[in-house]
Amino acid sequence: MPRAGTSDTLGRGGATRAQGGRSIAMDLKFYYAPMTSASRVHWALEELGIPYEKVKLDLAAGDQKKPEYLALNPNGKVPLLVAEGRPIFEGLAILLYLGERFGTDKGLFPPPNPDRAEAFKWMAWGAVTFGEALQRYLRNSLDRFPEDERSPKAAEAAKNDLASHLAILNEALEGKEYLVGNTFSFVDISIAPAIPFLGRFGIDVSPFPNVNAWVARCIARPAFARVMQG
């Protein structure tokens, strides 16, 4: 499987990699930081097995706030993908682009049929409905946020919402190995990586056996192991 090139330089420049004795242009440049929401995009790229260049940002050092990065992503966040010279931010947008551009041919994203609508539905649900509840819980429970901005009542409400969302996901996975078309796809990548971290923040996932079995299947894939290497 092709391996990603690496770089520590910010900017729009491309790179090349050798394949079969010839050089091919790397038109995808991926800006990320390990163990962040960028891991979903990283995983998708590894599953695709296509050439791309990686640029690791040091968030603690403020790489994401440097002018050259803000020129590409004014939000100052990861992930960012520069595809054929065009910057794409927001993880969901990147996954949808990669799915339609490369994933369908590789069996990782549904063709334009009702399964694709199902894919859009679950990917949006993961980013908006589930993601909003998770962020609300973290902002009201983690010490890294100012105490006067945290609300135990809001944290408890968010925790209850997460349990409700996990129940929905658990029911959707009843009798299925994967969310859409019963085959592994970017839909699973868009949601599964968040689940293992919930326990660290006091969210009990044990009542949801279908979710736990599904996550175990997903993260057992070799591409996920490569992502965890950074």
Side-chain angles (χ1 to χ4, degrees):
M1 181 173 292
R3 295 180 61 85
T6 59
S7 173
D8 294 320
T9 304
L10 301 178
R12 293 176 183 264
T16 59
R17 68 180 299 277
Q19 185 175 23
R22 61 191 178 89
S23 294
I24 58 176
M26 293 175 68
D27 292 327
L28 299 175
K29 193 167 187 176
F30 172 53
Y31 296 79
Y32 76 111
M35 306 301 288
T36 67
S37 60
S39 295
R40 295 175 175 87
V41 175
H42 194 177
W43 189 357
L45 287 163
E46 286 296 318
E47 290 283 356
L48 288 170
I50 57 177
Y52 70 98
E53 182 182 359
K54 291 195 302 184
V55 181
K56 184 186 295 186
L57 301 188
D58 185 340
L59 302 186
D63 284 352
Q64 75 279 20
K65 300 299 183 182
K66 292 180 178 179
E68 57 266 39
Y69 185 75
L70 291 174
L72 298 171
N73 184 358
N75 299 289
K77 298 180 179 180
V78 292
L80 169 71
L81 183 73
V82 179
E84 301 180 66
R86 178 168 299 186
I88 308 170
F89 48 75
E90 296 297 334
L92 177 57
I94 298 170
L95 287 176
L96 292 173
Y97 166 75
L98 291 173
E100 292 189 338
R101 178 69 174 83
F102 305 104
T104 301
D105 290 344
K106 293 179 177 287
L108 290 164
F109 199 72
N113 62 25
D115 274 352
R116 180 170 289 186
E118 189 81 357
F120 288 167
K121 177 185 78 175
W122 280 111
M123 293 172 80
W125 179 89
V128 179
T129 302
F130 186 84
E132 184 278 331
L134 178 57
Q135 288 300 317
R136 183 160 33 96
Y137 177 74
L138 297 179
R139 285 187 173 275
N140 286 286
S141 61
L142 296 188
D143 290 341
R144 70 179 185 222
F145 296 104
E147 184 175 2
D148 61 352
E149 296 180 7
R150 302 198 308 265
S151 165
K153 184 177 180 179
E156 187 63 24
K159 187 175 182 179
N160 292 334
D161 287 344
L162 284 168
S164 297
H165 299 335
L166 287 168
I168 290 170
L169 186 59
N170 196 69
E171 183 177 353
L173 287 163
E174 182 66 36
K176 298 166 61 177
E177 292 194 349
Y178 300 103
L179 269 171
V180 174
N182 215 21
T183 184
F184 179 81
S185 72
F186 281 12
V187 183
D188 306 291
I189 289 175
S190 71
I191 302 172
I195 307 300
F197 295 99
L198 295 179
R200 300 183 186 182
F201 304 124
I203 307 296
D204 184 11
V205 298
S206 63
F208 311 105
N210 297 332
V211 172
N212 289 313
W214 164 69
V215 170
R217 281 190 292 274
C218 292
I219 66 176
R221 297 177 66 87
F224 183 80
R226 293 195 295 275
V227 171
M228 290 298 99
Q229 296 172 2

